[in-house]
Amino acid sequence: MRAQDNGAITTSTGNNQLANRNTFVGIAGGFGTFVIGNHDTPYKIVARGAGAVSSADTVADLRLNVDRRLQGAIAYIAPAEALGGVTVAVAVVPVKGEKAADSAGKVKNNDGFHYSLGVLAPIGDVGLTVGAGYESAFVPLLDDTIDSFFLGVNFKQDIFSVGLAFENTAVGDKISKYAGIKDIGYNTFLLPVSVSLGDGLFVNVAYKLTQFEKPDLLDSAALLSNGSYVIDAFTATSLQNGIQVDLDESVNQFSLSVGKNWGKDLTAYAGVKNTSAGEKIYGGKKSAADFGVGLRVSFN
């Protein structure tokens, strides 16, 4: 049997829940692993396994835009040793909500499921890993889905690790119609590089480009705070606060971080991130810079 309780305390926001991160119960054996609870989706797990993250644990931590941890996840991870080293993970997450009111003002329950799939495969003994994932998020309010696909490759040799990932996200037509915008979607390209300098020291550099295929809605607060283009705003009971982005605009992000590992239980980080974007994305502000420090402690 497996169990974990993972929480976080943030003084600036008052976030002090003991089970607000990966918290689950499950069973594991030769058949694989089943878990139920709050958990990273297989899409997220595989993306990170394929190197699609800058591993900077600060504001400099660039990653794919779809990076979800969901409540009530029912996940299965197949035993890699039985599949020649290939990791396969799937998850189903029940979603409860209400459909938008009809012309008569009547509201109905509209429950559904969120699906996530990830496959991670090592290629020979050359330090190459390839990952792919698919995730479909059900939006009860609008009775439609937000679908994402990613493909990533990572090469690790000696002190260097280089990754390259592509992600496409498309929003259902009903959601687009509700937002008053046609064909919402965007592509993301991510290039993370990590170098180990010895004695636990490391440097991470990453570049991320998000290109909007058509006009989109973004949660501006989320964009400014952590660089996430939170289409998940649609999964709430409303569209929340959004701003329109022209189809010819894109977002460029560059990050640099340094850190040191003291054994396996203590890591310190410092990082900087610069984001530049079209004027309409920032409401007239074309760029923003962030700096952050972090400390990770494991208790075993």
Side-chain angles (χ1 to χ4, degrees):
M1 180 175 180
R2 298 187 61 194
Q4 175 176 304
D5 188 326
N6 187 350
I9 296 175
T10 305
T11 57
S12 61
T13 63
N15 179 6
N16 57 4
Q17 299 178 20
L18 293 179
N20 60 349
R21 296 178 67 84
N22 281 357
T23 302
F24 56 85
V25 295
I27 56 175
F31 51 83
T33 301
F34 284 94
V35 296
I36 300 175
N38 296 357
H39 203 274
D40 293 339
T41 64
Y43 186 102
K44 175 180 178 179
I45 293 171
V46 168
R48 294 191 170 207
V53 62
S54 63
S55 300
D57 271 9
T58 64
V59 296
D61 198 11
L62 298 185
R63 62 193 71 172
L64 296 181
N65 289 319
V66 177
D67 195 79
R68 300 182 176 107
R69 177 185 298 116
L70 299 177
Q71 297 182 1
I74 304 170
Y76 169 71
I77 303 174
E81 58 273 13
L83 300 175
V86 177
T87 297
V88 178
V90 296
V92 177
V93 185
V95 179
K96 293 183 176 295
E98 295 181 341
K99 191 175 181 179
D102 58 22
S103 57
K106 188 175 182 180
V107 176
K108 296 181 180 180
N109 290 333
N110 191 30
D111 301 339
F113 294 93
H114 183 122
Y115 300 99
S116 184
L117 168 68
V119 179
L120 186 67
I123 306 299
D125 298 321
V126 296
L128 193 65
T129 304
V130 176
Y134 169 77
E135 193 157 303
S136 179
F138 177 65
V139 184
L141 178 70
L142 304 174
D143 194 31
D144 209 341
T145 61
I146 301 165
D147 299 306
S148 300
F149 165 80
F150 100 89
L151 180 65
V153 60
N154 181 257
F155 177 72
K156 188 173 183 179
Q157 193 72 29
D158 297 326
I159 64 173
F160 294 97
S161 176
V162 180
L164 179 62
F166 166 78
E167 179 182 56
N168 173 265
T169 295
V171 179
D173 291 339
K174 292 182 181 178
I175 299 174
S176 298
K177 183 178 179 180
Y178 185 87
I181 301 174
K182 186 179 180 181
D183 297 330
I184 298 176
Y186 54 83
N187 294 318
T188 299
F189 300 88
L190 178 63
L191 176 64
V193 178
S194 181
V195 182
S196 177
L197 303 179
D199 196 28
L201 293 171
F202 58 88
V203 175
N204 295 325
V205 180
Y207 171 71
K208 177 178 175 179
L209 169 66
T210 301
Q211 294 180 319
F212 298 96
E213 297 173 330
K214 292 294 177 79
D216 201 352
L217 286 180
L218 300 181
D219 178 4
S220 57
L223 174 62
L224 288 172
S225 65
N226 59 26
S228 297
Y229 309 97
V230 188
I231 292 297
D232 281 345
F234 286 110
T235 64
T237 56
S238 70
L239 293 178
Q240 299 184 2
N241 296 321
I243 51 178
Q244 185 171 333
V245 179
D246 281 352
L247 62 88
D248 60 345
E249 292 193 342
S250 60
V251 178
N252 291 273
Q253 292 182 299
F254 174 82
S255 72
L256 171 66
S257 64
V258 295
K260 180 175 174 60
N261 294 315
W262 284 275
K264 64 178 181 178
D265 299 327
L266 179 62
T267 303
Y269 300 87
V272 62
K273 177 182 67 179
N274 183 76
T275 301
S276 60
E279 290 185 1
K280 291 191 176 182
I281 294 178
Y282 273 123
K285 187 177 181 181
K286 290 187 176 181
S287 64
D290 295 292
F291 174 80
V293 295
L295 184 68
R296 184 174 63 196
V297 182
S298 300
F299 299 94
N300 296 312

PDB file of all heavy atoms in Angstrom, residues 54 156-162 192-198 200-205 256-259 261:
ATOM      1  N   SER A  54      12.262  23.377 -16.653  1.00  0.00           N
ATOM      2  CA  SER A  54      13.617  23.878 -16.410  1.00  0.00           C
ATOM      3  C   SER A  54      14.145  23.500 -15.025  1.00  0.00           C
ATOM      4  O   SER A  54      15.288  23.783 -14.701  1.00  0.00           O
ATOM      5  CB  SER A  54      13.649  25.401 -16.566  1.00  0.00           C
ATOM      6  OG  SER A  54      12.821  26.020 -15.604  1.00  0.00           O
ATOM      7  N   LYS A 156      20.490  13.457 -22.213  1.00  0.00           N
ATOM      8  CA  LYS A 156      21.307  13.681 -21.025  1.00  0.00           C
ATOM      9  C   LYS A 156      22.628  12.929 -21.170  1.00  0.00           C
ATOM     10  O   LYS A 156      22.646  11.720 -21.389  1.00  0.00           O
ATOM     11  CB  LYS A 156      20.573  13.209 -19.775  1.00  0.00           C
ATOM     12  CG  LYS A 156      21.265  13.575 -18.477  1.00  0.00           C
ATOM     13  CD  LYS A 156      20.387  13.224 -17.280  1.00  0.00           C
ATOM     14  CE  LYS A 156      21.037  13.664 -15.978  1.00  0.00           C
ATOM     15  NZ  LYS A 156      20.177  13.340 -14.804  1.00  0.00           N
ATOM     16  N   GLN A 157      23.714  13.660 -21.047  1.00  0.00           N
ATOM     17  CA  GLN A 157      25.033  13.065 -21.206  1.00  0.00           C
ATOM     18  C   GLN A 157      26.013  13.780 -20.284  1.00  0.00           C
ATOM     19  O   GLN A 157      26.178  14.997 -20.370  1.00  0.00           O
ATOM     20  CB  GLN A 157      25.501  13.180 -22.658  1.00  0.00           C
ATOM     21  CG  GLN A 157      26.712  12.334 -22.995  1.00  0.00           C
ATOM     22  CD  GLN A 157      26.389  10.842 -23.056  1.00  0.00           C
ATOM     23  OE1 GLN A 157      25.283  10.466 -23.369  1.00  0.00           O
ATOM     24  NE2 GLN A 157      27.344  10.000 -22.741  1.00  0.00           N
ATOM     25  N   ASP A 158      26.633  13.026 -19.400  1.00  0.00           N
ATOM     26  CA  ASP A 158      27.608  13.586 -18.463  1.00  0.00           C
ATOM     27  C   ASP A 158      26.984  14.740 -17.677  1.00  0.00           C
ATOM     28  O   ASP A 158      26.035  14.537 -16.962  1.00  0.00           O
ATOM     29  CB  ASP A 158      28.878  14.037 -19.203  1.00  0.00           C
ATOM     30  CG  ASP A 158      29.595  12.870 -19.867  1.00  0.00           C
ATOM     31  OD1 ASP A 158      29.551  11.770 -19.283  1.00  0.00           O
ATOM     32  OD2 ASP A 158      30.164  13.052 -20.948  1.00  0.00           O
ATOM     33  N   ILE A 159      27.501  15.956 -17.870  1.00  0.00           N
ATOM     34  CA  ILE A 159      27.041  17.090 -17.069  1.00  0.00           C
ATOM     35  C   ILE A 159      25.937  17.892 -17.754  1.00  0.00           C
ATOM     36  O   ILE A 159      25.398  18.830 -17.172  1.00  0.00           O
ATOM     37  CB  ILE A 159      28.211  18.048 -16.742  1.00  0.00           C
ATOM     38  CG1 ILE A 159      28.771  18.677 -18.022  1.00  0.00           C
ATOM     39  CG2 ILE A 159      29.300  17.314 -15.972  1.00  0.00           C
ATOM     40  CD1 ILE A 159      29.805  19.753 -17.761  1.00  0.00           C
ATOM     41  N   PHE A 160      25.551  17.509 -18.983  1.00  0.00           N
ATOM     42  CA  PHE A 160      24.585  18.283 -19.743  1.00  0.00           C
ATOM     43  C   PHE A 160      23.244  17.557 -19.866  1.00  0.00           C
ATOM     44  O   PHE A 160      23.188  16.333 -19.987  1.00  0.00           O
ATOM     45  CB  PHE A 160      25.105  18.577 -21.159  1.00  0.00           C
ATOM     46  CG  PHE A 160      26.301  19.472 -21.205  1.00  0.00           C
ATOM     47  CD1 PHE A 160      27.567  18.933 -21.305  1.00  0.00           C
ATOM     48  CD2 PHE A 160      26.154  20.848 -21.132  1.00  0.00           C
ATOM     49  CE1 PHE A 160      28.680  19.751 -21.352  1.00  0.00           C
ATOM     50  CE2 PHE A 160      27.259  21.679 -21.171  1.00  0.00           C
ATOM     51  CZ  PHE A 160      28.529  21.138 -21.281  1.00  0.00           C
ATOM     52  N   SER A 161      22.172  18.338 -19.861  1.00  0.00           N
ATOM     53  CA  SER A 161      20.834  17.835 -20.152  1.00  0.00           C
ATOM     54  C   SER A 161      20.133  18.864 -21.030  1.00  0.00           C
ATOM     55  O   SER A 161      20.038  20.046 -20.660  1.00  0.00           O
ATOM     56  CB  SER A 161      20.036  17.615 -18.867  1.00  0.00           C
ATOM     57  OG  SER A 161      18.708  17.217 -19.163  1.00  0.00           O
ATOM     58  N   VAL A 162      19.682  18.425 -22.202  1.00  0.00           N
ATOM     59  CA  VAL A 162      19.023  19.321 -23.154  1.00  0.00           C
ATOM     60  C   VAL A 162      17.681  18.728 -23.548  1.00  0.00           C
ATOM     61  O   VAL A 162      17.590  17.544 -23.887  1.00  0.00           O
ATOM     62  CB  VAL A 162      19.881  19.532 -24.418  1.00  0.00           C
ATOM     63  CG1 VAL A 162      19.186  20.475 -25.390  1.00  0.00           C
ATOM     64  CG2 VAL A 162      21.252  20.066 -24.048  1.00  0.00           C
ATOM     65  N   PRO A 192      14.674  23.605 -22.571  1.00  0.00           N
ATOM     66  CA  PRO A 192      15.387  23.711 -21.296  1.00  0.00           C
ATOM     67  C   PRO A 192      16.784  23.063 -21.375  1.00  0.00           C
ATOM     68  O   PRO A 192      16.962  22.019 -21.980  1.00  0.00           O
ATOM     69  CB  PRO A 192      14.488  22.918 -20.341  1.00  0.00           C
ATOM     70  CG  PRO A 192      13.847  21.883 -21.201  1.00  0.00           C
ATOM     71  CD  PRO A 192      13.823  22.412 -22.615  1.00  0.00           C
ATOM     72  N   VAL A 193      17.768  23.715 -20.767  1.00  0.00           N
ATOM     73  CA  VAL A 193      19.137  23.214 -20.726  1.00  0.00           C
ATOM     74  C   VAL A 193      19.633  23.275 -19.288  1.00  0.00           C
ATOM     75  O   VAL A 193      19.426  24.272 -18.589  1.00  0.00           O
ATOM     76  CB  VAL A 193      20.074  24.060 -21.621  1.00  0.00           C
ATOM     77  CG1 VAL A 193      21.505  23.541 -21.526  1.00  0.00           C
ATOM     78  CG2 VAL A 193      19.591  24.051 -23.065  1.00  0.00           C
ATOM     79  N   SER A 194      20.271  22.200 -18.838  1.00  0.00           N
ATOM     80  CA  SER A 194      20.818  22.149 -17.486  1.00  0.00           C
ATOM     81  C   SER A 194      22.270  21.693 -17.546  1.00  0.00           C
ATOM     82  O   SER A 194      22.610  20.781 -18.301  1.00  0.00           O
ATOM     83  CB  SER A 194      20.000  21.185 -16.609  1.00  0.00           C
ATOM     84  OG  SER A 194      20.519  21.146 -15.294  1.00  0.00           O
ATOM     85  N   VAL A 195      23.108  22.341 -16.734  1.00  0.00           N
ATOM     86  CA  VAL A 195      24.527  22.001 -16.680  1.00  0.00           C
ATOM     87  C   VAL A 195      24.937  21.808 -15.231  1.00  0.00           C
ATOM     88  O   VAL A 195      24.688  22.666 -14.384  1.00  0.00           O
ATOM     89  CB  VAL A 195      25.404  23.105 -17.315  1.00  0.00           C
ATOM     90  CG1 VAL A 195      26.875  22.690 -17.270  1.00  0.00           C
ATOM     91  CG2 VAL A 195      24.963  23.392 -18.735  1.00  0.00           C
ATOM     92  N   SER A 196      25.556  20.665 -14.938  1.00  0.00           N
ATOM     93  CA  SER A 196      26.077  20.387 -13.598  1.00  0.00           C
ATOM     94  C   SER A 196      27.527  20.837 -13.515  1.00  0.00           C
ATOM     95  O   SER A 196      28.356  20.457 -14.347  1.00  0.00           O
ATOM     96  CB  SER A 196      25.972  18.891 -13.299  1.00  0.00           C
ATOM     97  OG  SER A 196      26.541  18.593 -12.047  1.00  0.00           O
ATOM     98  N   LEU A 197      27.828  21.674 -12.518  1.00  0.00           N
ATOM     99  CA  LEU A 197      29.168  22.236 -12.389  1.00  0.00           C
ATOM    100  C   LEU A 197      30.023  21.513 -11.362  1.00  0.00           C
ATOM    101  O   LEU A 197      31.147  21.930 -11.087  1.00  0.00           O
ATOM    102  CB  LEU A 197      29.066  23.722 -12.011  1.00  0.00           C
ATOM    103  CG  LEU A 197      28.267  24.591 -12.982  1.00  0.00           C
ATOM    104  CD1 LEU A 197      28.213  26.026 -12.493  1.00  0.00           C
ATOM    105  CD2 LEU A 197      28.860  24.521 -14.387  1.00  0.00           C
ATOM    106  N   GLY A 198      29.501  20.439 -10.769  1.00  0.00           N
ATOM    107  CA  GLY A 198      30.248  19.714  -9.758  1.00  0.00           C
ATOM    108  C   GLY A 198      30.014  20.261  -8.367  1.00  0.00           C
ATOM    109  O   GLY A 198      29.577  21.409  -8.194  1.00  0.00           O
ATOM    110  N   GLY A 200      27.695  19.698  -6.432  1.00  0.00           N
ATOM    111  CA  GLY A 200      26.288  20.010  -6.204  1.00  0.00           C
ATOM    112  C   GLY A 200      25.792  21.261  -6.890  1.00  0.00           C
ATOM    113  O   GLY A 200      24.596  21.556  -6.856  1.00  0.00           O
ATOM    114  N   LEU A 201      26.669  22.026  -7.534  1.00  0.00           N
ATOM    115  CA  LEU A 201      26.266  23.258  -8.207  1.00  0.00           C
ATOM    116  C   LEU A 201      25.684  22.968  -9.590  1.00  0.00           C
ATOM    117  O   LEU A 201      26.139  22.062 -10.279  1.00  0.00           O
ATOM    118  CB  LEU A 201      27.458  24.202  -8.345  1.00  0.00           C
ATOM    119  CG  LEU A 201      28.038  24.786  -7.058  1.00  0.00           C
ATOM    120  CD1 LEU A 201      29.349  25.517  -7.352  1.00  0.00           C
ATOM    121  CD2 LEU A 201      27.047  25.724  -6.397  1.00  0.00           C
ATOM    122  N   PHE A 202      24.687  23.750 -10.000  1.00  0.00           N
ATOM    123  CA  PHE A 202      24.109  23.569 -11.321  1.00  0.00           C
ATOM    124  C   PHE A 202      23.564  24.901 -11.835  1.00  0.00           C
ATOM    125  O   PHE A 202      23.273  25.824 -11.079  1.00  0.00           O
ATOM    126  CB  PHE A 202      22.996  22.526 -11.304  1.00  0.00           C
ATOM    127  CG  PHE A 202      21.871  22.838 -10.350  1.00  0.00           C
ATOM    128  CD1 PHE A 202      20.796  23.618 -10.754  1.00  0.00           C
ATOM    129  CD2 PHE A 202      21.893  22.352  -9.052  1.00  0.00           C
ATOM    130  CE1 PHE A 202      19.763  23.912  -9.881  1.00  0.00           C
ATOM    131  CE2 PHE A 202      20.864  22.642  -8.169  1.00  0.00           C
ATOM    132  CZ  PHE A 202      19.794  23.425  -8.587  1.00  0.00           C
ATOM    133  N   VAL A 203      23.439  24.965 -13.159  1.00  0.00           N
ATOM    134  CA  VAL A 203      22.876  26.128 -13.838  1.00  0.00           C
ATOM    135  C   VAL A 203      21.790  25.645 -14.794  1.00  0.00           C
ATOM    136  O   VAL A 203      21.997  24.688 -15.553  1.00  0.00           O
ATOM    137  CB  VAL A 203      23.949  26.903 -14.627  1.00  0.00           C
ATOM    138  CG1 VAL A 203      23.306  28.046 -15.417  1.00  0.00           C
ATOM    139  CG2 VAL A 203      25.021  27.445 -13.698  1.00  0.00           C
ATOM    140  N   ASN A 204      20.626  26.299 -14.769  1.00  0.00           N
ATOM    141  CA  ASN A 204      19.539  25.973 -15.681  1.00  0.00           C
ATOM    142  C   ASN A 204      19.203  27.185 -16.537  1.00  0.00           C
ATOM    143  O   ASN A 204      19.080  28.307 -16.020  1.00  0.00           O
ATOM    144  CB  ASN A 204      18.275  25.560 -14.913  1.00  0.00           C
ATOM    145  CG  ASN A 204      18.462  24.274 -14.143  1.00  0.00           C
ATOM    146  OD1 ASN A 204      19.168  23.376 -14.600  1.00  0.00           O
ATOM    147  ND2 ASN A 204      17.849  24.173 -12.985  1.00  0.00           N
ATOM    148  N   VAL A 205      19.062  26.961 -17.824  1.00  0.00           N
ATOM    149  CA  VAL A 205      18.651  28.005 -18.755  1.00  0.00           C
ATOM    150  C   VAL A 205      17.476  27.463 -19.563  1.00  0.00           C
ATOM    151  O   VAL A 205      17.483  26.294 -19.963  1.00  0.00           O
ATOM    152  CB  VAL A 205      19.798  28.398 -19.714  1.00  0.00           C
ATOM    153  CG1 VAL A 205      19.341  29.489 -20.676  1.00  0.00           C
ATOM    154  CG2 VAL A 205      21.017  28.859 -18.927  1.00  0.00           C
ATOM    155  N   LEU A 256      16.899  32.043 -16.217  1.00  0.00           N
ATOM    156  CA  LEU A 256      18.231  31.610 -15.805  1.00  0.00           C
ATOM    157  C   LEU A 256      18.199  31.383 -14.304  1.00  0.00           C
ATOM    158  O   LEU A 256      17.737  32.237 -13.546  1.00  0.00           O
ATOM    159  CB  LEU A 256      19.280  32.674 -16.144  1.00  0.00           C
ATOM    160  CG  LEU A 256      20.689  32.454 -15.575  1.00  0.00           C
ATOM    161  CD1 LEU A 256      21.322  31.219 -16.191  1.00  0.00           C
ATOM    162  CD2 LEU A 256      21.557  33.689 -15.824  1.00  0.00           C
ATOM    163  N   SER A 257      18.667  30.235 -13.878  1.00  0.00           N
ATOM    164  CA  SER A 257      18.700  29.948 -12.442  1.00  0.00           C
ATOM    165  C   SER A 257      19.988  29.215 -12.082  1.00  0.00           C
ATOM    166  O   SER A 257      20.576  28.512 -12.906  1.00  0.00           O
ATOM    167  CB  SER A 257      17.491  29.102 -12.019  1.00  0.00           C
ATOM    168  OG  SER A 257      17.531  27.829 -12.645  1.00  0.00           O
ATOM    169  N   VAL A 258      20.404  29.399 -10.851  1.00  0.00           N
ATOM    170  CA  VAL A 258      21.562  28.682 -10.312  1.00  0.00           C
ATOM    171  C   VAL A 258      21.136  28.064  -8.991  1.00  0.00           C
ATOM    172  O   VAL A 258      20.232  28.561  -8.306  1.00  0.00           O
ATOM    173  CB  VAL A 258      22.771  29.613 -10.095  1.00  0.00           C
ATOM    174  CG1 VAL A 258      23.263  30.159 -11.421  1.00  0.00           C
ATOM    175  CG2 VAL A 258      22.418  30.771  -9.155  1.00  0.00           C
ATOM    176  N   GLY A 259      21.787  26.966  -8.638  1.00  0.00           N
ATOM    177  CA  GLY A 259      21.419  26.307  -7.393  1.00  0.00           C
ATOM    178  C   GLY A 259      22.512  25.376  -6.910  1.00  0.00           C
ATOM    179  O   GLY A 259      23.529  25.156  -7.588  1.00  0.00           O
ATOM    180  N   ASN A 261      22.917  21.596  -4.573  1.00  0.00           N
ATOM    181  CA  ASN A 261      22.394  20.462  -3.816  1.00  0.00           C
ATOM    182  C   ASN A 261      23.358  20.110  -2.685  1.00  0.00           C
ATOM    183  O   ASN A 261      24.553  19.922  -2.916  1.00  0.00           O
ATOM    184  CB  ASN A 261      22.245  19.232  -4.724  1.00  0.00           C
ATOM    185  CG  ASN A 261      21.198  19.430  -5.801  1.00  0.00           C
ATOM    186  OD1 ASN A 261      20.121  19.928  -5.534  1.00  0.00           O
ATOM    187  ND2 ASN A 261      21.524  19.048  -7.015  1.00  0.00           N
TER     188      ASN A 261
END
